[in-house]
Structure formats: structure tokens, C-alpha cells
Amino acid sequence: KHIEDYKQMRAQEAAFSTVNLELQQLGTMLRTAVIWGYLKENPAGEIKRLKTAQKEPPYLTQDQVARIYPHCHDWLYTFVTIALNTGCRISEILALKWEDVDFRNGLIKMRSDEEFTTKGRRNREIPINGFLGHVLRKAPRHITNSHIIFTARGQCPDDKLVRKRFYVALKRAGLPHFRIHDMRHTF
């Protein structure tokens, strides 16, 4: 009853998402108190959260996509093209190798193996559209590195470097801050 009263009171003065976060933290504390032996059982049980309106995820508009491309140089251009045209995650794009691209059937094969694991550990095939196919065919290949995305030194960039370059391109294009993951939403 105290928790329900608190929830109703807080809902009058704070955003529902804030109240839900507080309830989640309270639930964690009470469960931990049971584990540590301070309580025999969790007095709150499962605390019901407040319903919140689901926000539309951020995405780039066609105009914003057109504005960012001129500021993406070398491997970042290929990276952004793959991200916008496949919806792949940053780790999936960085793990892509040329052997994963099937130009004949117009597919990119996302596979989990000993080097890389996809989210959910599921293999999948992603269609290659005309623009992505054109960019991939023109993308340079490295003599010793089989990855699609590689730096001028032939090394695979880490996600920190990709983010840094992406944010620089956004700034130069005069665009608001977007996360790389927002390209999945754009796709």
C-alpha cells in the first residue's frame, strides 16, 4: 500500500518514466534485502509500472542522409551506406567480411561464428539494394585484411573510432547529434 501511495504521489510531480525507474530501483533493493537475509520476503512483490507513451525512435530524414554523405570519407562512407541500407548494428558491420557478401544472389550473410556473435546468435540474410551493391562493388579491398571496413593502415576500426568519425561528419554536415544506432531506425 505504501508503494502504491508513493507511486501515485510521484506520478503527480514527475514523469512516468522517472517514477518507473524509481520503482525499478526500489524493487531491486527489496529483492537484494531478501537475498541478504534482511527480509523474509519482498513486501512489494512485483511492482506494477506506470504505462508510458512509446516515443518514436530518432531517425535521419532523406535530406539529412543526403547532407551527411559528402562528409563521410574513405571507409566511413561504406560504413554509413551499409548501416543505412541494411539496419545492421555497428558490431555486425565491423565484423563483415567480403566472403559474407553474395553479389550473385544480392545478399549479405550475417553469421555467428567463433570470431563474432550476432545479437540473439541467429544467422540471417540481408538483401542488398542497388545503391548498396554499387558502393560495395566500388569499395577497396585490402590485400591482407578480409574485412569490408578497414582504415588506411589496413586495420579494423573499433567502435570508438567509428563513433568519433561519424560525429565529426554529423557536425560538418550541420546535423543534430544522432547515435550510430539511429541509422537502424532510419533503415
Side-chain angles (χ1 to χ4, degrees):
K1 169 120 177 53
H2 292 294
I3 294 171
E4 268 309 311
D5 291 344
Y6 173 79
K7 181 169 73 171
Q8 297 307 318
M9 183 267 307
R10 281 295 285 155
Q12 301 300 316
E13 56 191 33
F16 283 11
S17 58
T18 301
V19 177
N20 286 338
L21 182 61
E22 292 171 357
L23 293 172
Q24 179 182 354
Q25 292 169 339
L26 177 61
T28 300
M29 288 187 283
L30 292 171
R31 278 190 299 280
T32 303
V34 170
I35 292 168
W36 289 352
Y38 291 106
L39 295 173
K40 290 184 180 178
E41 61 182 42
N42 185 341
E46 283 300 313
I47 302 168
K48 291 195 175 164
R49 307 290 193 271
L50 296 170
K51 293 195 188 280
T52 57
Q54 195 166 6
K55 292 189 284 186
E56 186 173 343
Y59 60 90
L60 295 162
T61 64
Q62 284 184 324
D63 175 59
Q64 290 170 325
V65 169
R67 285 173 45 198
I68 195 170
Y69 268 123
H71 302 283
C72 297
H73 304 289
D74 304 320
W75 57 266
L76 184 61
Y77 185 88
T78 306
F79 178 90
V80 168
T81 302
I82 294 169
L84 288 171
N85 289 276
T86 64
C88 289
R89 294 171 177 84
I90 186 172
S91 59
E92 294 172 332
I93 297 170
L94 294 178
L96 269 179
K97 295 182 177 180
W98 285 108
E99 66 197 44
D100 301 323
V101 179
D102 180 356
F103 285 112
R104 181 183 238 212
N105 295 310
L107 296 170
I108 292 177
K109 297 174 183 171
M110 277 293 146
R111 307 178 248 221
S112 287
D113 56 25
E114 52 282 342
E115 288 180 35
F116 173 75
T117 305
T118 61
K119 188 169 183 177
R121 301 186 190 282
R122 283 178 285 193
N123 295 341
R124 65 185 194 280
E125 293 179 343
I126 302 165
I128 299 173
N129 64 25
F131 180 64
L132 177 57
H134 174 75
V135 169
L136 287 176
R137 282 186 176 84
K138 292 204 175 253
R141 296 181 187 221
H142 196 271
I143 195 164
T144 58
N145 187 341
S146 62
H147 286 88
I148 295 173
I149 306 297
F150 57 89
T151 66
R153 292 190 174 139
Q155 299 169 330
C156 295
D158 62 3
D159 61 345
K160 186 177 177 182
L161 178 61
V162 174
R163 289 177 208 286
K164 180 179 173 185
R165 294 280 174 92
F166 180 71
Y167 297 142
V168 167
L170 281 174
K171 190 172 183 178
R172 287 184 180 157
L175 296 174
H177 181 79
F178 284 97
R179 298 171 306 147
I180 286 182
H181 191 80
D182 295 334
M183 289 192 283
R184 279 179 57 80
H185 303 156
T186 303
F187 172 74

